[in-house]
Amino acid sequence: MKILIIHGSPRRGNTWKILNKVKEKINEEIDADYEIIELSKMKIPMCTGCFNCILKSEEKCPHYESIKYINDKITWCDAMIITSPVYSLQISGQLKNFIDHMSYNFHRPKYFNKKALIITTTGGVRAKEIANYIKEVLTFWGINTTYKLPIVYRDNNLEKYDKQIDKVLSKFIYTLKNEKIKAPTFKTVASYNSFRSMSTTFYTKGNPDYDYWKNSELYKYPYHPDVNIGKVKSVFGNTLYKVISKRMKNNKDMKYNERKIKIIKRLPKEEGVNL
């Protein structure tokens, strides 16, 4: 079992301690091969919001070299563990910057056979809320099954959290063992078909969204063909696709190919500031 850990904390503190506790418990049940990425050590430049990854391709991202390594590891793994402390009521800046660089995955979901565990820690509040946010992001990316482990970390005695950790990990480990692919929710099917419609209605050949959905032939299906969503959700997805596509075609103001968006060219390597 190949597990990728994306550690969103800039340090090895409380979140790191919980992560190691989780690894110990997983190792008791599964022979896992881990790859750990600490985002703070990757030194990924800040996302510039240039839209290159969405309108040109992810390879046109000014920081593609930094992101490609992580992308390759996500492709490699069977499951991911993503961690973040709560900073100012939100995820860490390192994790948010990484998610921003992966924005194209909202348009071109692809990780339909992967599972994920989210670990969030706080000394105060909002561990659950930011875990929910990360889960929503991963669902848009196509991640099949996601479990959340929000910890209110106020005691250095790690054994205090064993019961909570065991409850979540028992489900996560069971999912990894049986390799079952779950059916998505109606909300997920709706999101999928919204981007399915947009990719073939807004865009034409040469646009990365259009090319992805066409070349993968995903535009033909109400959800990824390897995931059994049942007849009801299939009808729901296909109907929604037709309705959205029709409305987009009839709306003359919704012509993305005619939009003039300035694409920022690949930026030079950013240099640090000496303080």
Side-chain angles (χ1 to χ4, degrees), residues 9-274:
S9 175
R11 64 194 187 96
R12 294 185 176 186
N14 295 338
T15 310
W16 187 261
K17 292 176 183 177
I18 296 295
L19 171 62
N20 285 330
K21 190 76 171 178
V22 166
K23 284 176 60 183
E24 289 175 8
K25 292 180 177 293
I26 291 177
N27 291 338
E28 293 174 0
E29 300 286 340
I30 295 176
D31 182 16
D33 180 13
Y34 297 98
E35 184 75 29
I36 301 177
I37 294 176
E38 295 183 64
L39 293 177
S40 61
K41 294 182 178 180
M42 294 295 293
K43 300 186 184 304
I44 303 170
M46 292 299 294
C47 174
T48 62
C50 66
F51 273 80
N52 284 1
C53 65
I54 294 175
L55 296 178
K56 290 293 184 179
S57 81
E58 54 264 39
E59 295 180 0
K60 297 298 182 181
C61 171
H63 315 130
Y64 176 67
E65 287 76 11
S66 299
I67 296 301
K68 183 180 183 302
Y69 175 81
I70 305 177
N71 266 327
D72 290 344
K73 291 300 179 181
I74 295 177
T75 301
W76 163 85
C77 75
D78 300 303
M80 290 192 294
I81 298 176
I82 297 182
T83 72
S84 177
V86 176
Y87 286 166
S88 300
L89 306 181
Q90 253 298 342
I91 59 175
S92 69
Q94 287 81 5
L95 184 58
K96 183 60 170 66
N97 185 42
F98 166 67
I99 289 174
D100 288 347
H101 277 90
M102 301 287 282
S103 291
Y104 61 89
N105 281 324
F106 288 80
H107 290 242
R108 307 189 282 275
K110 58 176 70 69
Y111 306 119
F112 298 96
N113 65 338
K114 299 188 186 298
K115 321 292 176 62
L117 172 67
I118 299 163
I119 300 173
T120 57
T121 64
T122 182
V125 295
R126 291 192 63 83
K128 290 183 179 179
E129 287 81 358
I130 72 165
N132 288 337
Y133 164 71
I134 298 170
K135 178 178 180 178
E136 187 173 17
V137 168
L138 297 183
T139 301
F140 271 101
W141 291 4
I143 299 292
N144 180 259
T145 308
T146 306
Y147 294 97
K148 300 173 293 183
L149 181 58
I151 299 285
V152 179
Y153 197 113
R154 295 173 180 160
D155 194 328
N156 286 327
N157 180 15
L158 286 179
E159 293 181 359
K160 178 180 179 179
Y161 308 103
D162 276 352
K163 186 175 181 180
Q164 182 181 358
I165 293 173
D166 288 342
K167 182 178 180 180
V168 175
L169 277 187
S170 63
K171 299 176 182 179
F172 181 58
I173 291 172
Y174 175 78
T175 302
L176 295 181
K177 283 182 176 180
N178 65 25
E179 299 182 354
K180 182 180 179 181
I181 302 296
K182 292 184 178 181
T185 64
F186 278 98
K187 180 180 178 181
T188 300
V189 173
S191 171
Y192 175 95
N193 283 280
S194 295
F195 283 104
R196 176 190 176 201
S197 302
M198 185 171 67
S199 68
T200 54
T201 306
F202 274 178
Y203 303 124
T204 56
K205 186 176 181 180
N207 176 274
D209 283 7
Y210 180 93
D211 292 344
Y212 172 76
W213 287 87
K214 282 288 187 177
N215 294 339
S216 65
E217 298 191 338
L218 287 179
Y219 76 97
K220 296 180 179 180
Y221 307 99
Y223 203 70
H224 195 286
D226 292 343
V227 182
N228 183 5
I229 65 173
K231 291 184 179 179
V232 175
K233 289 178 182 176
S234 293
V235 171
F236 169 74
N238 281 326
T239 301
L240 188 63
Y241 168 71
K242 292 177 183 178
V243 170
I244 294 175
S245 296
K246 183 177 181 180
R247 289 185 178 181
M248 287 181 177
K249 289 177 181 178
N250 291 337
N251 191 333
K252 295 181 179 180
D253 294 329
M254 300 177 73
K255 297 294 183 181
Y256 259 64
N257 289 318
E258 297 174 4
R259 285 179 61 191
K260 301 257 182 172
I261 298 179
K262 182 179 179 182
I263 303 300
I264 299 176
K265 296 181 179 180
R266 189 180 296 273
L267 299 180
K269 184 178 180 181
E270 297 187 10
E271 298 180 358
V273 178
N274 295 321

